[in-house]
């Protein structure tokens, strides 16, 4: 990507004056073995640190195991496993490149997504696209999904039973995609994937490992939050660069 083009995307993020660093080379801190204590894992990170105790441990065999992409999509479209099926316009399965190395995971569809049947459309989606392009990733090169496939009414937080019922769909998407890295946007998605209630600010800037495949997982702010709190866009940009470095070293 040319520097002029990157400046354009950074401007779209509201970060006109930022200088892009290249990914660290051989001198960058290595990813540490996953042996840290909770206290160690949650201390302010200075490099590539693995938050070992936040490793998610989903069941080895879950409800959706074995289904292929087409079958899974059909099962989501027909799902009535929780009350959100009664209020949705349509399910929002996920979208993107099935060979993608990056999986972006958000919380749940909003009003725009519920109407379109696609995650991250509307203003938050446009900001996500700009964030991805700023690190050289067109939307077409990633896969995007949510932890919940139906919109909660009035965009309220998902309830535990809704999350529990829906999570196997995302688990199967992850198994099928086999991403090289997961970028999780927002507190609720991070909490669901990492099975923690640690604040997002303390989950950022660390490499978490997801599931038995120990997929590197990086947490950052949700684009909708960044639209409401533009002063945190700088932190999001640091997270994106961090994720890119993690991916480059994988
Ligand atoms: S949110 Fe998930 S579990 Fe609930 S009805 Fe929609 S697809 Fe099914």
């Amino acid at each position: 990507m040319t520097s002029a083009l990157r400046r354009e995307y950074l401007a779209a993020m509201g970060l006109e004056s930022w200088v892009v660093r290249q990914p660290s080379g051989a001198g960058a801190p290595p990813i540490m073995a996953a042996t840290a204590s909770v206290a160690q894992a949650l201390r302010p990170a200075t490099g590539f640190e693995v938050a070992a105790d936040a490793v998610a441990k989903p069941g080895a065999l879950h409800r959706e195991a074995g289904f292929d992409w087409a079958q899974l999509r059909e099962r989501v479209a027909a799902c009535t496993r929780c009350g959100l099926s009664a209020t949705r316009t349509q399910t929002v399965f996920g979208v993107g490149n099935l060979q993608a190395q990056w999986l972006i995971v958000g919380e749940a569809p909003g009003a725009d997504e519920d109407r379109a049947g696609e995650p991250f459309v509307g203003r938050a989606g446009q900001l996500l696209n700009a964030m991805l392009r700023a690190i050289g990733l067109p939307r077409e090169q990633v896969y995007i999904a949510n932890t919940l496939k139906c919109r909660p009414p009035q965009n309220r937080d998902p309830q535990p039973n809704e999350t529990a019922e829906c999570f196997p769909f995302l688990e199967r998407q992850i198994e099928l995609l086999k991403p090289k890295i997961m970028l999780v946007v927002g507190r609720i998605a991070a909490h669901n994937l990492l099975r923690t209630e640690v604040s997002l600010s303390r989950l950022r800037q660390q490499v978490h490992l997801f599931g038995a495949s120990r997929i590197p997982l990086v947490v950052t702010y949700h684009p909708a939050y960044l639209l409401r709190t533009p002063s945190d866009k700088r932190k999001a940009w640091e997270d994106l660069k961090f994720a890119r470095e993690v991916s480059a070293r994988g």
Side-chain angles (χ1 to χ4, degrees):
M1 179 185 291
T2 66
S3 57
L5 194 54
R6 178 162 282 133
R7 275 199 300 277
E8 186 181 318
Y9 291 131
L10 286 173
M13 281 184 68
L15 294 169
E16 291 87 345
S17 59
W18 278 65
V19 176
V20 179
R21 281 188 323 193
Q22 294 304 311
S24 300
I31 295 180
M32 290 166 56
T35 55
S37 69
V38 172
Q40 287 172 322
L42 299 181
R43 72 178 182 268
T46 54
F48 288 173
E49 299 190 12
V50 174
D53 300 274
V55 173
K57 298 179 181 69
L61 201 59
H62 57 78
R63 191 189 70 217
E64 302 302 320
F67 292 110
D68 64 22
W69 280 110
Q71 292 167 330
L72 193 65
R73 182 181 285 276
E74 282 180 18
R75 288 177 61 79
V76 168
C79 182
T80 56
R81 297 190 72 96
C82 81
L84 297 181
S85 61
T87 51
R88 72 188 180 211
T89 300
Q90 58 190 315
T91 55
V92 179
F93 179 74
V95 70
N97 188 329
L98 299 185
Q99 272 73 51
Q101 295 188 341
W102 285 61
L103 171 62
I104 317 300
V105 184
E107 173 189 332
D112 291 329
E113 290 77 17
D114 179 67
R115 269 192 299 274
E118 182 172 330
F120 286 98
V121 296
R123 288 182 66 220
Q126 287 167 14
L127 178 55
L128 178 67
N129 294 347
M131 291 164 66
L132 294 173
R133 286 192 177 278
I135 54 169
L137 274 178
R139 181 177 170 105
E140 300 72 34
Q141 279 185 21
V142 306
Y143 194 87
I144 306 174
N146 285 314
T147 56
L148 224 61
K149 310 306 186 195
C150 301
R151 180 193 180 204
Q154 284 78 51
N155 296 340
R156 65 158 169 75
D157 287 353
Q159 294 173 354
N161 71 307
E162 296 162 352
T163 300
E165 288 293 351
C166 213
F167 198 71
F169 292 133
L170 179 63
E171 280 190 271
R172 187 59 188 154
Q173 287 177 305
I174 295 168
E175 290 169 358
L176 289 166
L177 190 68
K178 298 182 179 65
K180 185 176 174 185
I181 185 168
M182 294 167 63
L183 178 67
V184 177
V185 299
R187 171 181 59 88
I188 289 176
H191 285 180
N192 288 338
L193 283 158
L194 296 175
R195 312 285 167 92
T196 182
E197 295 194 350
V198 171
S199 69
L200 187 142
S201 63
R202 298 179 73 191
L203 295 172
R204 298 175 51 242
Q205 294 288 306
Q206 299 185 61
V207 184
H208 306 273
L209 300 174
F210 179 81
S213 302
R214 300 170 69 77
I215 301 166
L217 183 158
V218 172
V219 174
T220 191
Y221 297 97
H222 194 286
Y225 166 82
L226 294 172
L227 288 172
R228 296 192 302 271
T229 318
S231 57
D232 275 344
K233 284 183 179 177
R234 288 174 175 241
K235 293 181 187 170
W237 174 233
E238 291 297 331
D239 296 339
L240 291 169
K241 289 187 295 181
F242 180 70
R244 185 178 59 179
E245 290 184 23
V246 172
S247 172
R249 292 180 67 81

